[in-house]
């Protein structure tokens, strides 16, 4: 009050202590870019994205169509074995079955063999957690603390190696592929290693350290549904045995959906099969161990090639084409509406 | 929203029951039921709670935290605003509560105090009429009246050593008249310097300070002082006046004090020459009755001037004098003495005596005092009115004064259809007056077909809220404190609310502090509206506390109002900035924040819901649990905070120029149930896209190197990457004001996401914390796939493009009023911004009378008795003399 007359309020002048600072931040005057939805930007977005999506979609569909894929459901074809496996007391009995198919054309390039399961809920929460990562790292841990139950220990206290529902339910059919020539059949050479992720094989899974594998797993027992202990999964290849077995590693990488396929073997491109699978008659010889009928599941065996976008699933391609078309059409609709409105406006202005 | 959550969980739980019964039962070979679970329905029950845990992120805790941060930030902006800083007494605006910012953007009713809030409580001698000649206006050469502004030449008072330098007057002719020794002019100013109850204080020689009971009196005495009639000192018996440099001591014989009935005061003095004179000043209506018939022609001229003054919103007083006969006076003073010592009926006897002597007065002229409004008050009120805010003035002043102020600050104006005055003194009168007013405003509001009446009939109880009613024109309502007391009674309050809320302006005069609070309470009770009370004095505290938002003016009247307020600043005019800029921004930001926040959490959470249908309703989460933890905490918190702290749809200048932009806030258009459902639907749509695009892209296919792609971890990573990019793009779309900080936050969050993901999925982390980071290698293996990126791009396109299209088309086809304004602004921006418009300040015509007195018994008796009068230090006890505390005024009621 006292300096009422002497004090001249002037913007920008040095203020007394309580005057707020004149900074862009405090005065909310930060420089800013103020984008707005203008007709130009909206239309260009729609048309650009529409065109892009269409192009990508067409590419995807074309490449997906170039994939050769053969999928055979063998759960029905081997109905004898299916019935046998329905009764779990027959587990020790072997059961073989053959599935024939004919290739009319050669399949060129790398050919991959998958097994597919339907209606197998690998993504069930209690299933997903039913494993012990520490045990699979070869560490000597108390698996009672993990979520492996009820596949943790036998009644007599012997721990299962590996423990848990995932490991216990491992897919244990063996599938071999034969190329039928006129008089005899050649076994198609298949690669059983190199099918899993590098990180899984080298980081996530390790065998317990010992002078040999069987002693490393001493004091443990196989999971109840297994036919052989973990250290006998692949007796031919030391580096593909125990926890490091590729089939095991792939099985342990649980699927996100109840219908899924896992890589089983790759065709080794040698001799007759250097360019892929030649046309002709083939036979899958399957040792049928994995029961699926109980939970109304299905088993498939799949032969497929791949392209840059993956397998033969056309979903992405179609989705791209559809959304590309939709975006372009919307672009036209917007243009039409805009023109109409503008006409109206000029009409009113007149 | 909790019901929605419960519903989702219930659906999933039932789904689980069915699934376990249908499939899980057979799947037990590979996955036995958990211990203790023996039936599918029990499993479903357990699953219900699992899903409650998973899906509770639709209402995350971080919402509350973020809301608080945003409120705090916006409060700081208020504190920091230089445009709300008042340099003259070094007061910045202050947000004392941090929780009400967004309500500032929704104000519908403002309750304002008058004194000290609308007005400065400083009175200025502005014009006068002496002997039929009006002074105070400035004319140019051609005789046109000139608007007075800063540059107008002030009258030079340097001839008078005792002049008050702060006093300014522009009409030179009055000074000429004084200098020429015009007798009526001299008498006029002599009267002003004698007839008052002001106390002088002279600490230094020539430095006079007046302590006046009412600021009006102070203004008059100051005026007289500047024109050369300096009131210098007083004792109980004398008044010392320096008249044109010549010191004269008048003997003060009697003070005929002011009261509300008399509306005038007089003094009887004996001049050094020995003449006995009675000087009187008072309200025109009263004084005109007492004038001598000889001055009828003068009376007419003065009346004309008075009308003119009143039309300009000035407070007027008429001054008159009477020369007394020595003998008569002696007789009178004797009787006066008797009366004043009488034991019974002293008051009556005295006033009779006063009546007797105050007659046959000679008219001298009239004074006009400007009750100075605070700077920018009319403009502010006009702007606020344009923003559809209803302003109620609650004041302790007299009706005339209140109405005068109402007119002078644009609250009331002549274009109004009608201004109703409610002054009934019984309950029935008030009811009738209110009903008549309502009938005029909305004739059909009494018909049975009227919605509200129907509502009344339907429910025997009172309806809780009254919807807004439209009047057929612009009306004002003035209600006196007496009538208000009746109107606030239970049986009339509804009538009052309905009538008053239809008027654009309501002025309540002579109200007590309690009534102020009651009025606010009433509106809060019956109207679904946010109210704001603004005031500066202790008498406003109750009102400030009652209203949703209280604003204190940190002015001269102490700190009580400020201390009980939510916001405070120094000038009334800052209110428009507080509401139209800060309030609006806060509201819009909060709405955008809530919309986005719910959207992002719906999109996030509902993916789990869809996944439930594919994972046996087993409460399996889609994302990595670390992602779930960090999503609200790290990945998406900063961008949304950035948006809600910096976003501005239009800058402050435009939101002041287009007050209509404020209206959507009042109707809560930016965040209500419809908007909520919309952003919920958007969230649901996004979550569908976010689930099914990755699902489709992964279903029964493989990677480009032939390995399986559809494992759970890859799917999780893909879904969460899609989600995060989609919500980031979405916030980019919502942000209309991209500062560096926004950019930094959005890009930063995305890069932090990738950095954290790659770190968590690295070998080292897995080997150290095996159980915590089972996703080892997923990022490297999955994000290298072209199909994954194509799927991500597709989800973004599908999530965002429809929104872009919808917003654009909506803006084109059905623009909301505020969007139209924004469009106008966009067009206007191409042209240079218009200069801030000058608004007319005053109108003329319409007779309004006001008189300048405080509404309290004067101090005449005190002065005469000599109490409180110590020579040398005249004002040791100022307590009872504090010039303008409203408190005293209200006690009189």
């Amino acid at each position: 009050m006292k300096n009422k007359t002497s004090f001249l309020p002037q913007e920008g002048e040095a203020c007394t202590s309580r005057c707020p600072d004149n900074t862009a931040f405090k005065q909310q005057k930060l420089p800013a870019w103020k984008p707005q939805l203008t007709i130009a930007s909206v239309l260009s977005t729609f048309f650009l994205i529409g065109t892009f999506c269409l192009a990508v979609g067409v590419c995807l569909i074309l490449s997906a169509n170039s994939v050769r894929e053969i999928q055979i459901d063998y759960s029905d074809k081997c109905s004898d074995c299916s019935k046998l496996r329905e009764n779990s007391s027959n587990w020790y009995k072997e059961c073989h079955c053959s599935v024939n198919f004919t290739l009319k054309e050669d399949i060129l390039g790398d050919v991959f063999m998958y097994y597919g399961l339907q209606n197998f809920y690998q993504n069930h929460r209690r299933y997903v957690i039913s494993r012990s990562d520490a045990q699979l790292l070869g560490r000597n841990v108390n698996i009672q603390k993990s979520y492996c139950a009820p596949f943790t220990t036998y009644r007599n206290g012997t721990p299962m190696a590996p423990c848990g529902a995932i490991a216990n339910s491992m897919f244990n059919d063996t599938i071999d592929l034969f190329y039928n020539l006129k008089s005899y059949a050649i076994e198609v050479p298949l690669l059983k290693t190199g099918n899993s992720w590098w990180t899984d094989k080298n980081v996530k899974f390790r065998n317990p350290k010992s002078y040999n594998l069987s002693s490393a797993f001493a004091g443990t027992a196989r999971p109840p549904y297994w036919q052989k202990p973990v250290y006998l999964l692949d007796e031919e290849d030391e580096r593909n045995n125990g926890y490091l077995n590729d089939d095991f590693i792939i099985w342990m990488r649980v699927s996100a959906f109840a219908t899924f396929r896992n890589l089983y073997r790759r065709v080794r491109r040698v001799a007759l099969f250097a360019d892929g699978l030649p046309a002709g008659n083939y036979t899958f010889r399957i040792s049928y161990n994995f029961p699926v009928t109980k939970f109304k599941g299905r088993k498939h065996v799949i032969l497929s090639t791949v392209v840059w976008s993956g397998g033969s699933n056309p979903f992405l391609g179609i989705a791209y084409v559809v959304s590309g078309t939709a975006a372009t059409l919307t672009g036209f609709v917007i243009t039409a509406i805009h023109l109409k409105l503008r006409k109206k406006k000029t009409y009113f202005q007149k | 929203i909790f019901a929605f959550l419960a519903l989702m969980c219930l659906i999933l739980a039932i789904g689980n029951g069915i699934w376990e019964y249908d499939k899980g039962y057979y799947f037990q070979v590979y996955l036995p039921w958990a211990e203790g679970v023996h039936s599918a329905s029990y499993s479903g029950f357990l699953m219900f709670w699992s899903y409650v845990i998973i899906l509770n992120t639709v209402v995350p805790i971080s919402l509350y935290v973020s809301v608080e941060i945003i409120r705090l930030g916006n409060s700081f902006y208020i504190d920091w605003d230089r445009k709300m800083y008042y340099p003259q007494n070094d007061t910045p605006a202050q947000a004392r509560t941090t929780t009400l910012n967004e309500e500032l953007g929704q104000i519908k009713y403002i309750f304002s105090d008058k004194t000290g809030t609308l007005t400065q409580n400083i009175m200025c001698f502005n014009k006068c009429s002496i002997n039929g000649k009006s002074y105070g206006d400035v004319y140019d050469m051609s005789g046109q009246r000139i608007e007075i502004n800063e540059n107008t030449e002030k009258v030079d008072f340097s001839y008078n050593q005792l002049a008050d330098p702060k006093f300014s007057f522009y009409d030179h002719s009055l000074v000429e008249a004084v200098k020429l020794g015009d007798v009526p002019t001299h008498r006029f100013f002599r009267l002003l310097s004698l007839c008052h109850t002001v106390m002088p204080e002279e600490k230094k020689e020539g430095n006079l300070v007046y302590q006046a009971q009412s600021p009006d009196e102070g203004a008059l005495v100051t005026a007289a002082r500047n024109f050369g009639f300096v009131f210098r000192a007083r004792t109980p018996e004398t008044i010392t006046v320096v008249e044109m440099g010549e010191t004269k001591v008048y003997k003060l014989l009697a003070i005929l004090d002011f009261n509300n009935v008399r509306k005038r005061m007089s003094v009887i003095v004996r001049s050094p020459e020995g003449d006995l004179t009675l000087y009187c000043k008072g309200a025109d209506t009263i004084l005109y009755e007492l004038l001598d018939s000889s001055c009828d022609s003068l009376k007419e001229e003065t009346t004309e001037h008075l009308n003119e003054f009143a039309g300009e919103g000035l407070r007027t007083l008429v001054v008159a004098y009477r020369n007394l006969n020595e003998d008569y006076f002696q007789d009178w003073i004797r009787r006066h003495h008797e009366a004043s010592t009488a034991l019974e009926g002293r008051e009556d006897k005295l006033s009779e005596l006063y009546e007797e002597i105050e007659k046959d007065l000679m008219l001298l002229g009239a004074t006009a005092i400007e009750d100075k409004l605070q700077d920018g008050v009319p403009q502010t009120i006009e702007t606020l009115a344009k923003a559809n805010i209803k302003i109620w003035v609650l004041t302790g002043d007299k009706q005339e004064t209140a109405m005068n102020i109402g007119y002078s600050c644009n609250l009331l104006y002549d274009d109004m259809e009608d201004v109703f005055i409610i002054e009934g003194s019984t309950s029935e009168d008030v009811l009738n007056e209110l009903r008549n007013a309502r009938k005029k405003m909305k004739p059909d509001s009494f018909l049975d077909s009227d919605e509200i009446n129907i509502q009344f009939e339907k429910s025997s109880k009172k309806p809780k809220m009254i919807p807004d009613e439209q009047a057929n024109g612009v009306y004002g309502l003035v209600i006196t404190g007496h009538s208000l007391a009746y109107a606030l009674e239970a049986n009339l309050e509804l009538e009052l609310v309905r009538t008053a809320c239809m008027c654009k302006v309501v002025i309540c005069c002579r109200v007590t502090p309690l009534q102020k609070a009651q009025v606010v309470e009433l509106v809060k009770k019956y109207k679904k509206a946010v109210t704001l009370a603004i005031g500066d004095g202790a008498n406003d505290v109750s009102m400030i506390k009652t209203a949703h938002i209280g604003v204190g003016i940190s002015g001269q009247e102490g700190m009580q109002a400020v201390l009980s307020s939510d916001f405070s600043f120094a000038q009334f005019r800052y209110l428009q900035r507080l509401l139209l800029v800060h309030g609006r921004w806060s509201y819009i930001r909060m709405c955008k924040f809530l919309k986005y926040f719910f959207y992002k959490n719906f999109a996030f959470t509902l993916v789990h819901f869809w996944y439930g249908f594919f994972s046996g309703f087993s409460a399996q989460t889609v994302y990595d649990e670390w992602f779930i933890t960090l999503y609200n905490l790290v990945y998406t918190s900063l961008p949304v905070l950035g948006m809600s702290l910096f976003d501005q749809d239009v800058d402050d200048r435009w939101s002041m120029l287009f007050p209509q932009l404020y209206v959507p806030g009042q109707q809560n258009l930016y965040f209500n149930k419809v908007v909520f459902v919309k952003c919920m639907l958007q969230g649901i749509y996004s979550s569908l896209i976010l689930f099914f695009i990755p699902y489709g892209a992964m279903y029964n296919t493989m990677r480009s190197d032939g390995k399986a792609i559809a494992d759970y971890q890859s799917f999780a990573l893909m879904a969460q990457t899609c989600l995060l990019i989609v919500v980031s793009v979405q916030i980019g779309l919502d942000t209309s004001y991209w500062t560096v900080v926004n950019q930094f936050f959005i890009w930063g969050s995305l890069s932090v996401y990738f950095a954290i993901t790659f770190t968590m999925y690295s070998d080292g982390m897995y080997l150290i914390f095996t159980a915590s980071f089972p996703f080892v290698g997923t990022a490297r293996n999955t994000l290298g796939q072209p199909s994954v990126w194509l799927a991500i791009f597709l989800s973004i396109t599908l999530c965002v493009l429809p929104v872009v299209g919808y917003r654009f088309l909506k803006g084109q086809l059905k623009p909301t009023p505020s969007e139209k304004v924004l469009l106008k602004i966009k067009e206007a921006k191409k042209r240079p911004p218009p200069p801030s418009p000058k608004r007319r300040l005053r109108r003329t015509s319409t007779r309004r009378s006001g008189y300048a007195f405080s509404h309290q018994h004067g101090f005449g008796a005190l002065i005469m008795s000599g109490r409180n009068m110590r020579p040398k230090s005249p004002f040791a006890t100022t307590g009872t003399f504090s010039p303008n505390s409203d408190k005293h005024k209200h006690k009189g009621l």
Side-chain angles (χ1 to χ4, degrees), chain B residues 854-871:
Chain B
S854 161
H855 311 290
Q856 191 196 2
H857 208 278
F859 291 127
L862 269 174
I863 292 170
M864 290 303 281
S865 72
R867 269 184 286 151
N868 277 340
M869 298 276 284
R870 285 170 221 160

Side-chain angles (χ1 to χ4, degrees), chain A residues 3-111:
Chain A
N3 52 6
K4 208 169 188 171
T5 41
S6 60
F7 195 95
L8 287 171
Q10 258 180 0
E11 202 58 42
E13 205 172 86
C15 277
T16 34
S17 56
R18 291 173 66 195
C19 177
D21 302 339
N22 190 10
T23 56
F25 171 66
K26 289 192 173 180
Q27 301 306 314
Q28 305 200 59
K29 296 219 181 282
L30 285 178
W33 171 55
K34 296 172 216 167
Q36 263 169 333
L37 292 180
T38 59
I39 182 73
S41 63
V42 170
L43 279 185
S44 55
T45 320
F46 269 91
F47 284 124
L48 274 179
I49 289 183
T51 328
F52 176 78
C53 285
L54 275 177
V56 173
V58 170
C59 288
L60 280 171
I61 287 181
L62 286 180
S63 56
N65 282 345
S66 70
V67 171
R68 299 290 309 276
E69 188 179 289
I70 291 145
Q71 177 166 353
I72 293 161
D73 183 341
Y74 67 90
S75 37
D76 282 340
K77 289 188 175 155
C78 307
S79 46
D80 297 342
C81 291
S82 305
K83 271 178 198 138
L84 182 80
R85 291 294 169 217
E86 266 179 43
N87 189 345
S88 54
S89 59
N90 295 329
W91 66 270
Y92 55 90
K93 287 180 193 163
E94 288 201 8
C95 181
H96 292 279
C97 104
S98 307
V99 179
N100 298 320
F101 68 100
T102 311
L103 278 186
K104 291 199 177 99
E105 292 167 55
D106 298 350
I107 300 183
L108 299 178
D110 287 329
V111 180

Side-chain angles (χ1 to χ4, degrees), chain B residues 382-437:
Chain B
E382 202 180 319
T383 314
L384 292 178
K386 269 195 203 158
N388 204 15
I389 297 173
K390 290 182 172 154
I391 299 168
W392 294 34
V393 176
L394 311 173
T395 172
D397 284 355
K398 287 287 296 177
Q399 184 186 331
E400 290 92 342
T401 329
M403 282 180 77
N404 261 352
I405 290 298
Y407 276 100
S408 63
C409 58
N410 265 357
L411 272 170
L412 303 169
Y413 41 90
D414 296 323
D415 297 346
M416 281 184 154
E417 302 275 328
D418 203 352
V419 176
F420 307 112
I421 298 172
I422 311 285
E423 48 190 354
S425 51
T426 63
S427 191
E428 288 85 55
D429 285 355
V430 175
L431 177 66
N432 284 336
E433 280 172 335
L434 284 172
R435 292 214 154 176
N436 288 339

Side-chain angles (χ1 to χ4, degrees), chain B residues 637-875:
Chain B
S637 61
L638 283 181
V640 69
L641 274 186
M643 176 183 79
S644 37
L645 284 179
F646 296 107
D647 210 43
Q648 320 179 345
D649 54 344
V650 288
D651 64 17
D652 49 350
R653 209 158 34 96
W654 293 107
S655 41
M656 298 274 256
L657 273 179
F658 291 94
Q660 306 91 297
L661 287 172
Y662 190 77
V663 179
Q666 293 171 329
Q667 295 156 353
N668 201 3
L669 282 187
Y670 292 140
F671 197 79
N672 48 30
K673 278 178 195 137
V674 179
V675 175
F676 178 72
V677 168
K678 265 190 204 164
C679 73
M680 201 165 99
L681 287 179
Q682 196 198 346
I684 292 173
Y685 167 75
S686 288
S687 68
L688 273 174
I689 296 291
L690 288 171
F691 177 73
F692 283 102
I693 294 292
Y695 171 72
M698 285 195 161
Y699 184 74
N700 262 357
T701 186
M702 49 288 253
R703 301 166 18 150
S704 51
D705 60 359
K707 291 169 188 172
I709 194 174
D711 67 285
Y712 165 71
Q713 296 187 340
S714 301
F715 176 71
L717 181 71
M718 190 161 154
Q720 69 201 31
T721 312
C722 280
L723 170 73
L724 200 73
I725 298 182
V726 164
V727 295
S728 298
V729 174
Q730 180 67 35
I731 199 165
L733 206 63
D734 283 344
T735 308
S736 53
Y737 193 78
W738 282 78
T739 61
V740 190
V741 189
N742 291 85
Q743 299 270 11
F744 176 75
F745 279 168
I746 292 176
W747 297 114
S749 290
L750 275 179
S751 36
V752 162
Y753 165 68
F754 284 108
I756 289 184
T757 306
F758 274 94
T759 316
M760 284 198 311
Y761 296 176
S762 66
D763 309 348
M765 293 296 274
Y766 181 71
L767 293 178
I768 302 166
F769 308 103
T770 308
S772 308
F773 301 103
F775 274 59
V776 58
T778 314
R780 272 174 284 171
N781 280 296
T782 306
L783 293 180
Q785 293 297 310
S787 59
V788 168
W789 283 106
L790 284 176
I792 291 174
F793 180 76
L794 185 66
S795 343
I796 298 166
T797 310
L798 285 180
C799 283
V800 173
L801 264 196
V803 180
V804 175
Y806 173 73
R807 287 200 186 160
F808 181 75
L809 282 183
K810 200 177 161 222
Q812 291 267 308
L813 294 173
K814 256 197 274 170
T816 57
S818 61
E819 273 169 336
K820 279 179 195 156
V821 175
L822 291 178
L823 205 72
K824 236 189 267 170
I825 289 174
K826 220 164 82 185
E827 275 160 23
K829 263 183 192 163
K830 288 169 193 162
R831 302 188 294 271
S836 55
K838 292 265 179 218
R839 292 189 178 89
R840 72 203 165 93
L841 281 180
R842 309 199 182 288
R843 340 109 301 273
T844 39
S845 89
T846 317
R847 172 73 213 272
R848 284 176 298 276
S849 135
Y851 61 93
F853 270 120
S854 161
H855 311 290
Q856 191 196 2
H857 208 278
F859 291 127
L862 269 174
I863 292 170
M864 290 303 281
S865 72
R867 269 184 286 151
N868 277 340
M869 298 276 284
R870 285 170 221 160
K872 291 308 146 196
S873 64
F875 267 87

Side-chain angles (χ1 to χ4, degrees), chain B residues 14-85:
Chain B
I14 291 170
N16 179 259
I18 294 170
W19 185 86
E20 291 288 357
Y21 180 75
D22 188 39
K23 295 191 172 151
Y25 180 75
Y26 304 102
F27 195 58
Q28 284 197 61
V29 189
Y30 290 123
L31 184 68
W33 284 350
E35 262 177 76
V37 177
H38 300 295
S39 72
S41 47
Y42 183 62
S43 155
F45 172 74
L46 289 183
M47 227 30 95
F48 178 80
W49 300 110
S50 308
Y51 270 113
V52 168
I53 294 168
I54 289 181
L55 297 181
N56 73 15
T57 40
V58 284
V59 205
I61 301 297
S62 61
L63 175 75
Y64 303 105
V65 180
S66 309
V67 164
E68 288 309 316
I69 294 177
I70 292 164
R71 284 174 169 166
L72 187 71
N74 282 317
S75 312
F76 273 121
Y77 282 134
I78 293 172
D79 291 350
W80 287 334
D81 196 338
R82 277 171 83 95
K83 289 193 180 135
M84 282 164 54
Y85 168 76

Side-chain angles (χ1 to χ4, degrees), chain A residues 100-126:
Chain A
N100 298 320
F101 68 100
T102 311
L103 278 186
K104 291 199 177 99
E105 292 167 55
D106 298 350
I107 300 183
L108 299 178
D110 287 329
V111 180
F112 299 86
M113 190 163 122
Y114 304 86
Y115 60 86
L117 288 175
Q118 242 180 14
N119 218 1
F120 189 95
Y121 280 82
Q122 265 205 321
N123 57 3
H124 196 282
R125 182 175 53 87
R126 281 186 295 113

Side-chain angles (χ1 to χ4, degrees), chain A residues 251-263:
Chain A
W251 181 257
M252 291 305 285
R253 181 156 283 280
V254 295
S255 163
F257 308 106
T259 300
F260 61 94
R261 50 175 69 172
N262 277 342
L263 183 56

